Every structure is written in C-alpha cells, then in structure tokens.
Amino acid sequence: MPENHPFQLDRVRYPGLTRMADILRAKHRFAADIIDRGAALFGAEWADAFEPVLNALFPTEEAVTAAAKGYSVFAMQSMRLQAVFERERQYKAKTHEQASSEVYFNEQHMMQEYLPGLLLSHFLWPHHYRQIQFFNSAFVQAMRVAGATSFMEVGIGTGLYSGLLLRALPQVRGVGLDISPSSQRFTETQLAALGVADRYRTELRDVTAEPLEPKADWLVCVEVLEHLDDPVAFLRGLRRNMAPGAKAFITAALNAAHADHIYLYRNGGEVLAHLIEAGFTLEQSFIGMAYKPSAPGVPVPEAAAFIVY
Ligand SMILES: C[S@@+](CC[C@H](N)C(=O)[O-])C[C@H]1O[C@@H](n2cnc3c(N)ncnc32)[C@H](O)[C@@H]1O
C-alpha cells in the first residue's frame, strides 16, 4: 500500500473493531476517533491483533457497549488524576492494602471498568501498543528462537500478555499468578474464548510468598511495580521464581496517575536502579511516551519495559 494512503478499517474484515468504533463515536465523544487513529498509526498489524481479542471478550453488541463504557470510566478517571498529578507532581498517597480493597478486590469495578478499560488501553493508547510491539519483537521472538516451552506471568490483570504469548507460540504452556480473583476470572474467560486455555493455568498467589515450582525459564510482569509499596521486595520475589539463566520482561508505568498507582517512577533510570538492586542485569529496554507534553517540563505518562536476566 502506498505510504500516502493510510490503512483504513474494512467493516467486513474487522466487525469487532467497527462496532467498537461506532459505539465510541456515538456514546463517548472524547474517544470518538480513537480507533481510527490507532488504525492509521499502526495499520493492519494492530487491527489483526486487536480484532480477535475484542471478539473473544466482547462478542455481542451488549458486551461491546459495556466494555466501551468501562473504558470511558477508566480513561476519564485516569485523565482527572493526571491533571491533579501535573499540578502536585505526586500520586495521591495510598497503600497497596488500600488499593487492593478499592480496586483489585472490588469485583464490580474490576469486571465492569478496570479490566475492560485496561485491556482496551493496551491497544488504544499508542505507548501501550508500542510496548506490545517491543514485547513481540524482542521477547516473544527470543522465546521462539530459543524453542521455549513454558512461561510464567505475574500480575496477569487482563491476561492480555499471556494470551499474546500462547497465540504466538503454539508449543508453549503458561502459568499466571495474581492476587485478584477478578483478574483470574477475566484472564481465564479471555484465554478460553481465544482457544488457548488448555495450555494455561492460573493461581491466586502473591509472588513475594514462597516461590512456585517449577521455576520460570521465561517470566512476564507488566505494569505491576507502580502498584506496590515496596517494588524491590516484589522484584526479589520475581527473581526467586526464575530458574538459573531465565529471562524476564518487566515493565512499569512512569508519571502515570491512576487510582491504584502508588509508587511514583519519574524516569526509566529509577526502574532500572530497582531492577539492579534486586539482582537483575539489563539486556534491552524500551520507553514510550503517551503524548507530547503540553508545555516543557509537564510530566507525561510513559511505558518503560526491560528485558533482564
Ligand atoms: C495493572 S494490573 C497488571 C496489568 C496486566 N499485566 C495486563 O497486562 O493487563 C496489576 C495487577 O497486579 C496484581 N497484583 C498486585 N499486587 C500483586 C502481587 N503482590 N502479586 C501478584 N499480583 C499482584 C493486581 O491484582 C492486578 O491484577
């Protein structure tokens, strides 16, 4: 396709994306053109990755409408908190225990707003999708080349990253750990609908407790560090779950206010310092900005991802 003709969504090939775009346009004006922008920016690769996830989790008009509403609540809450953060340069003080009861153990909020919102943000927010591209090109490809047969994901949340791995590598089996029963249920629903649940099991488990056996050769942990009071203790827990020679894909959100973001990372160097303190060595990293700052010095949410061993 010539470069000056941006990719456009075909309604027949992408019915799920078309339906989501129509609902966002009709009911959630702030996100009216967000699907078209994603399609124009990332093209068919993005649409081909997004469409099956949408169809698996939100197969009916009713389910898409509810997911769009959940995304709207999730995104608006994050925009409101980000505006406060821009002024105060701090996250609202909260402990992991408070965040757990307000968010992870709040079944209604998790299933209707937080998890659908987070899942959609992985595709709709450019820095989140660029992080997925980095994951695919640097980590999934390394697993493919090494002939990996298993992985562990910690803090599965929506289960999206486990699903990406299971679909990309048909010989791989996975285990997913989380403390939230809602994250467990959401992940299991998605993976069953994608037809990969027979190669995956979940456990409700805090990774800082006793390590799981067998240990992981490949470990994934996406956007958990900023949710913790003590990220280094958690990172040490991750390391204890890794076999000798194992590799991990670990990410953190920087300068991104949200109801359950506790630990403020201001730059990638601060995350790397925690990784090193916990005993990891850096192999590759990625940093992506959500948008251009409105003025010099105004903090902008960023995604920071690290491949470490
Ligand atoms: C923002 S979500 C993670 C996003 C998820 N990786 C995804 O890709 O959708 C944070 C998750 O970490 C989980 N979590 C928080 N503390 C944890 C801990 N100590 N051990 C395991 N999971 C934890 C929460 O329950 C929640 O599901």
Side-chain angles (χ1 to χ4, degrees), residues 175-281:
V175 55
L177 315 184
D178 205 292
I179 53 169
S180 161
S182 312
S183 293
Q184 181 183 39
R185 194 147 65 81
F186 195 92
T187 295
E188 286 176 350
T189 305
Q190 181 191 176
L191 299 186
L194 288 168
V196 292
D198 58 330
R199 290 186 282 122
Y200 194 76
R201 70 184 174 82
T202 58
E203 262 192 45
L204 280 182
R205 173 188 279 262
D206 185 329
V207 79
T208 54
E210 204 44 28
L212 199 64
E213 290 295 340
K215 292 190 172 143
D217 288 322
W218 299 89
L219 185 137
V220 175
C221 179
V222 172
E223 293 196 10
V224 181
L225 299 183
E226 69 278 7
H227 298 250
L228 306 168
D229 299 314
D230 185 352
V232 175
F234 177 87
L235 286 169
R236 290 201 175 102
L238 288 186
R239 246 187 108 63
R240 279 196 297 274
N241 275 280
M242 288 168 65
K247 266 189 195 174
F249 180 87
I250 300 176
T251 85
L254 318 178
N255 296 311
H258 206 79
D260 56 341
H261 288 186
I262 294 165
Y263 193 94
L264 172 57
Y265 285 110
R266 296 177 195 274
N267 55 59
E270 291 181 358
V271 186
L272 182 58
H274 276 176
L275 286 163
I276 290 169
E277 194 179 334
F280 288 101
T281 302

